[in-house]
Amino acid sequence: YPVTVVFSQPMPRRFFSASAFGGSLAVAVCTALVHLARAQSAKDGAPTQGVIWLSSPGDCILAAGTHSRVTWGAETLPKCQEICEKDRKCWAVDFSTYNSYPRCKLLIAPPAGATPKQAGISEATCSIKASQLSRYAFNGRLGSGAMGSHTPVARCMATFNMQAGDYNGCDFQGLKMSGTDFSKASGVGATFSFATLLGFQARESNLRGAMFERTEAQKSKFDFADMSDSMCIGANFRDASMEGVTLTNAKLADAHLDGAVLTKASLQNVDGEKASFRNADMTGADLRGARFTSASFEGAILFEADVTGASFKDADVTGTVWGFVTGFDTVDFTGAKGAPSPDAVACTQKAAPCNPFG
């Protein structure tokens, strides 16, 4: 039977928050098929390893143009989930007791939500395989979760001390891991999406290609970590310490890095559309080829930064501090608020930080 954990907060259509766990140890699962959890359509196949179940009371609402099939003989919800767990075509289960007979329905696509109880049906539960696709499709509250019966947990257990461990490909999505020490650990391709990582310690860690979508990581420490090619869309890194971090080719759209320390960080070719860097310290940062369309940089410090070929198109750079900046004349400030004055390049040659936007 699955080990059940409880998430106390509702899960809106495009968010997932886990705020409470039974016991003192937060449990995570490792999946060798992480790419399945990031499938872009139901045809790509549902997860079959490292499955986490999220449930809601009521019957599943089928997505338009899809159907379900009934499997008899599964007398409990865990048994129903176990049948679905091994099936790549199964995205969710609808388990209920119909006229005293247990009924297990397998869904071929993520459901759109759950309905209230119906006549003659009791103990109805809509249970989905947790994935980016299924979370986005479900409109409503998902109040409880469980690890699948075949989920390997030993290597991917989330504890307070995870220093120098091997967590490549592990799935920590939605978990509460505040204060966890992940220093010098390897989490290549790991998933931290929708997790709570307040004060998370990840100095010198290897997080290449990791997923941090909508992660809450305020005041975390990623100094000298490698986060190249990571997916940080909508992540919250406010007041985080990220000195010397490598974010080359990372996706930072809609991310919040207000007040973060990014001194000597590498942000080459990042996609930072609509990201916020207000009052961030980016002294000596490498921003070559970065795209910050419609981003916010009010009060940010870019002293001695390399901005060669960077784009701040339609961004707000009011009060941004510059000095000894490399490649200043190659920057695209089209439509930027607080764009530099014609003699701004000369300002960069001063021996101390200056503001060329006054």
Side-chain angles (χ1 to χ4, degrees), residues 10 16 30-31 44 52 69 75 77 92 107 114 124 129 142 189 219 280-281 284-285 316 341 353 355:
F16 174 77
C30 169
T31 172
D44 293 327
I52 293 179
R69 67 181 187 272
E75 298 182 352
L77 174 60
L107 280 65
K129 290 179 177 178
L142 283 164
K219 297 185 178 180
D281 186 352
D316 190 344
S341 60
N355 180 3

Side-chain angles (χ1 to χ4, degrees), residues 159-208:
T159 65
F160 286 111
N161 187 357
M162 302 173 73
Q163 295 183 63
D166 176 9
Y167 306 101
N168 296 336
C170 290
D171 191 342
F172 303 114
Q173 61 180 330
L175 297 187
K176 188 174 182 180
M177 299 173 67
S178 295
T180 294
D181 191 344
F182 203 81
S183 302
K184 298 184 178 180
S186 184
V188 176
T191 300
F192 296 90
S193 299
F194 306 96
T196 302
L197 307 179
L198 307 183
F200 190 72
Q201 309 286 324
R203 289 178 58 90
E204 302 180 49
S205 58
N206 185 355
L207 294 163
R208 295 179 64 90

